Amino acid sequence: MPQLVLEINGQNRTLESGRTYSLGRDPQSDVAFDDARVSWRHATIAFDGGSWLLDDQGSTNGTFVGGQRTTRAVLVPGTVVALGNVENGPRLTCAAIPGAVGVGAGEWHDVSGGGQGAQPPEPWGRQPGGIGAGPTAQPGWGTPPRQGAQGAAAFQGGAPVHGGVPPQGGVPPQGGVPAGWEQQGGSGSGLTPVYGDRNPTMIRNLAQGMRTVRIGRALDNDLVVSDLSVSRHHAELRQLADGRYEIVDLESHNGIYVNGQPVQRHVMGPEDLLGVGHSIFRLVGDRLEEFVDTGAVSFSARHLTVEVQHKGAKKILLDDVSFGVPERALVAVIGPSGSGKSTLLRALTGYRPADRGDVLYDGRNLYKQFAELRQRIGLVPQDDILHKELTVRTALKYAARLRFPGDTQEAERAARIDEVLYELRLDKRADNRITALSGGQRKRVSVALELLTKPSLIFLDEPTSGLDPGMDREVMQMLRGLADDGRTVLVVTHSVAELAICDRLLVMAPGGAVAYFGPPDEALHFFGYETWADVFQAFENYPDHDWAGRYRGSVHYQMYSADVEAVAPQSAPIVHEQSRPQKPQSWGSQLATLTRRYLSVIAADRGFLVLCGILPVVMGAVSLAIPAKFGLLPANPPMKDGQPQFNIDAATVLLIVAVGTVFTGAANSVRELVKERVIYERERATGLSRSAYVMSKVLTLGALTAVQSIVVAGIGLGTRDLPSDGVVIGGNPLLEMTVAVVLLGLTSMMLGLVISSLVKTSEKTMPLLVLVAIVNVVFCGALFPLFGSPGLEQLAWLAPARWAVAALGSSVSLGAISPPPDGRDGRTDPLWDHDVSAWATSAGVLVVLGLICAFLVVRLLRRHEPEVMRKR
């Protein structure tokens, strides 16, 4: 009977006819893959009597043969099947190996000659060797080697990352290398490490008559970089007439970087490092060397010092902090309140660079190269960085749209989201609203957002705050798993219950100095106490003790920090330069995504929707309690006892309508920025446009406020007798007055955004909202005359209600039908005159006030973004 031989992970398996073989993530499958891109029951292979057939079982990410997605394929010797991803998914190669026929079905064999009857390869996972053990073998592509002296191809998720597909778009044979590339090994390569103390991952020989090398994510590039942060056609390396090479950005979304600085085009020199996504390239003669950041990176802080002015004197928040973090390690930072933990975290991530010292990412200065390196760093603040009203998958979907290039396809983003959800065991919670999750699960969702871009470093600030001991352990075990899977994780925490699972422990003493850095199981013995409560109490009881000096004189310092401190800082003091990252999406695309996300958040918040519907109805109905009619003509007022009777309640009605609109508009927006501050800070660091963010709020809230203002005007003014003619819109004074009310609502909404960008907490917005309402009542001009009062009149210019009442009064000739009893020398407010200039002036000032508020919001938001991105 015919047999089929599959090469998987450098070994072969012989399939016998007469049964169906299952492939998938299910451990019970005949060929099991522990890879999130592979579905639980992905495909089957069976002999149908004439040929071997592979049938896709409705997998999520698909099955690919010859670079094309297929649901059924005939398998013959030489056929290569990719599961889950055409570029770097797990692969099976159909082979005809001499001597394979006749072997028992289901046995595994080492293709390289390792003998028959070998055990099947272990699934992708963590070896028991602990940190640095690296991933085990995964079906499809052999054991991913560590980069370094051992050398070999770069792998992510068990598959080669770059160059895995030839320029023509075909699929390389098992273990093959694309044309023009050499796979680097430690023996006999003769290459000196040039980046991060590692040998290059791949080398391409450019001396082959090819004058242009196109780099990108698409398969039709000469150099394929399978990284979602890379555009489909990202850049071109062009040979000049003099033989040198110039790198040119092809209007990519995330840009290209030379020596950490964004460039549009640059002539490459021998010492230049070209950054494209998670890869670094360097020209050495006529060869292009590639270095792939797969997570095995070093990270160190050297002599970090942060000082601030406090009451006229310098106060030290960080005092000469130095430490080095090993690759793929979990590091905990603990210390009493006021020891500088949060300041250290902001310094390490570039949010608030240190005044002196350096943060080095694999030998590269984070502060100077923040625009490029920010893609390699994930930060999970203490507060959740996702909108809790959305489902897990929806929240991640919007985050992926903002962080990945604009040319990334929906299927690519969805596949990456599925990978992250599976890795963090959130796949079964993907359709749950975030508010319905437990505290530990919500923290996993925040981590999932950061994992979308595959960072090598992840920082977390108090991830276990407010969690019970069980969830505390769950979160820390999750972080342990992230480190074991090839990342470096640093967590700032107050919890000391799970420190034993960390690789290193950094203890900060009061004053921002390092009191200990080393293995956590040796820390208590170092301090000479039995519990951490005793250690923290000692910090408080002996504030003058030189804790940092004690540590520097210890053997732990010599073992774990001396080599870091021995290197002088590269820049002291630091000259901060603006380092704005590229925007992954265009301004318009970001605006569209932000607007859709905000609409989704509003639609999911039923309480807010109900309040938005009730508030304008109540505000408009309140004015109906005043029986005023605007239809009285000043030339023929009703007479009583020989005296003309004016409409003395008209101004009061306009006051109530105006103040109700001010309150409604400001209430819509007064909390919108402060409640999303943590989200904005993080997204801004990843390339979010500040103006697009503000505009999304203005458009969404503006539309909502405009509808509410129309309701207020319709109820409060549309039910009354109005003059027959308006000032601007003849024959329709109600429409003219409604325009004034809408302008007031929009201006008030912008004023609410200013308040929201000023305050530090949501609780502080309510008193300011009440204050705004009262100020507008007093200075609207309807309670007492404002015109002709120096100082008071000018102060009233800042109150939007002042100009709205003036515009409404101009439409109904308020000065004639309801003159103030104590008018100045018989004159009424000139803004109440029934003419076009008075109405246009009032409406124009409302527009100007709204624009001023918008400018203030954009400027105030600068305070809530990484300092390294601000203009100096």
Side-chain angles (χ1 to χ4, degrees), residues 283-336:
L283 275 173
V284 179
D286 289 329
R287 297 189 303 178
L288 183 64
E289 300 177 343
E290 180 186 17
F291 305 84
V292 182
D293 184 349
T294 57
V297 297
S298 61
F299 181 75
S300 61
R302 296 177 177 174
H303 305 282
L304 296 183
T305 300
V306 175
E307 298 176 343
V308 296
Q309 290 292 331
H310 181 67
K311 296 181 179 180
K314 285 187 177 180
K315 181 180 180 181
I316 298 178
L317 300 182
L318 283 185
D319 188 5
D320 197 25
V321 174
S322 298
F323 62 94
V325 179
E327 298 176 1
R328 297 166 175 164
L330 175 58
V331 181
V333 180
I334 65 173

Side-chain angles (χ1 to χ4, degrees), residues 682-723:
R682 184 65 194 122
E683 291 182 342
R684 177 63 176 152
T686 61
L688 178 69
S689 168
R690 187 193 311 146
S691 58
Y693 176 76
V694 174
M695 183 57 68
S696 69
K697 298 295 185 183
V698 171
L699 292 179
T700 307
L701 292 174
L704 176 63
T705 302
V707 172
Q708 291 176 317
S709 300
I710 292 173
V711 173
V712 173
I715 297 176
L717 303 176
T719 57
R720 302 183 182 276
D721 294 333
L722 300 179

Side-chain angles (χ1 to χ4, degrees), residues 308-604:
V308 296
Q309 290 292 331
H310 181 67
K311 296 181 179 180
K314 285 187 177 180
K315 181 180 180 181
I316 298 178
L317 300 182
L318 283 185
D319 188 5
D320 197 25
V321 174
S322 298
F323 62 94
V325 179
E327 298 176 1
R328 297 166 175 164
L330 175 58
V331 181
V333 180
I334 65 173
S337 299
S339 59
K341 299 187 300 297
S342 297
T343 303
L344 175 63
L345 186 65
R346 298 180 73 84
L348 294 177
T349 56
Y351 271 56
R352 198 291 186 189
D355 298 306
R356 291 190 298 276
D358 292 302
V359 176
L360 301 182
Y361 178 99
D362 231 16
R364 304 173 65 188
N365 193 301
L366 174 65
Y367 298 157
K368 294 181 178 180
Q369 303 183 23
F370 179 79
E372 178 186 0
L373 296 180
R374 52 100 186 180
Q375 302 182 46
R376 322 283 183 87
I377 297 176
L379 173 62
V380 181
Q382 181 175 349
D383 297 325
D384 294 327
I385 52 178
L386 291 169
H387 294 87
K388 299 178 182 179
E389 299 84 358
L390 304 178
T391 65
V392 173
R393 188 181 300 277
T394 301
L396 293 179
K397 179 185 70 173
Y398 286 118
R401 284 183 176 177
L402 290 173
R403 297 197 177 194
F404 289 137
D407 60 3
T408 307
Q409 298 177 355
E410 185 70 29
E412 294 176 296
R413 293 193 297 266
R416 180 57 190 155
I417 291 172
D418 288 339
E419 291 177 19
V420 172
L421 290 175
Y422 175 74
E423 181 178 2
L424 294 178
R425 303 198 307 273
L426 287 170
D427 45 337
K428 296 182 179 180
R429 303 284 184 179
D431 297 323
N432 291 5
R433 290 179 63 173
I434 298 177
T435 51
L437 302 179
S438 66
Q441 290 170 338
R442 286 200 300 270
K443 191 57 62 177
R444 286 179 180 269
V445 177
S446 294
V447 173
L449 184 149
E450 294 301 315
L451 291 185
L452 289 174
T453 54
K454 298 184 178 180
S456 301
L457 286 171
I458 302 179
F459 297 89
L460 300 98
D461 187 11
E462 298 288 355
T464 60
S465 177
L467 301 183
D468 60 50
M471 290 185 179
D472 183 355
R473 172 174 295 180
E474 178 186 343
V475 171
M476 292 300 293
Q477 288 177 342
M478 172 192 66
L479 301 182
R480 174 74 269 170
L482 293 177
D484 291 343
D485 284 340
R487 306 174 185 90
T488 297
V489 182
L490 188 146
V491 52
V492 174
T493 180
H494 277 109
S495 175
V496 297
E498 303 297 329
L499 296 180
I501 68 174
C502 300
D503 300 288
R504 293 289 185 270
L505 176 64
L506 176 65
V507 182
M508 300 293 293
V514 177
Y516 174 83
F517 180 72
D521 56 355
E522 301 175 14
L524 287 176
H525 177 73
F526 170 83
F527 287 107
Y529 292 97
E530 295 183 357
T531 66
W532 284 108
D534 295 331
V535 175
F536 283 20
Q537 190 173 21
F539 286 148
E540 182 178 355
N541 294 339
Y542 307 103
D544 298 329
H545 182 73
D546 186 8
W547 297 100
R550 182 175 181 270
Y551 171 66
R552 288 192 176 95
S554 68
V555 65
H556 289 85
Y557 170 80
Q558 296 298 327
M559 294 176 63
Y560 303 109
S561 296
D563 56 337
V564 176
E565 286 203 350
V567 181
Q570 298 181 7
S571 54
I574 296 172
V575 179
H576 296 305
E577 299 176 357
Q578 183 190 5
S579 183
R580 288 189 178 183
Q582 290 281 117
K583 296 179 175 61
Q585 304 271 340
S586 65
W587 188 90
S589 180
Q590 284 194 5
L591 175 61
T593 300
L594 290 168
T595 302
R596 287 197 297 268
R597 181 178 71 178
Y598 193 31
L599 289 173
S600 298
V601 171
I602 292 177

Side-chain angles (χ1 to χ4, degrees), residues 599-624:
L599 289 173
S600 298
V601 171
I602 292 177
D605 192 347
R606 296 181 180 178
F608 179 76
L609 288 176
V610 172
L611 181 62
C612 288
I614 294 177
L615 188 60
V617 174
V618 173
M619 291 300 175
V622 167
S623 66
L624 297 180

Side-chain angles (χ1 to χ4, degrees), residues 147-148 152-154 156 161-162 181 184 191-203 223 225 227 270 272-284 287-294 297 362 364 372 376:
Q147 295 184 19
Q156 283 185 359
V161 179
H162 302 292
W181 287 87
Q184 295 305 298
L191 294 175
T192 302
V194 293
Y195 169 65
D197 294 331
R198 293 175 178 83
N199 287 325
T201 306
M202 290 284 183
I203 294 179
L223 199 164
V225 182
D227 183 349
D272 289 335
L273 298 178
L274 168 65
V276 177
H278 286 72
S279 294
I280 294 292
F281 299 91
R282 180 175 179 177
L283 275 173
V284 179
R287 297 189 303 178
L288 183 64
E289 300 177 343
E290 180 186 17
F291 305 84
V292 182
D293 184 349
T294 57
V297 297
D362 231 16
R364 304 173 65 188
E372 178 186 0
R376 322 283 183 87

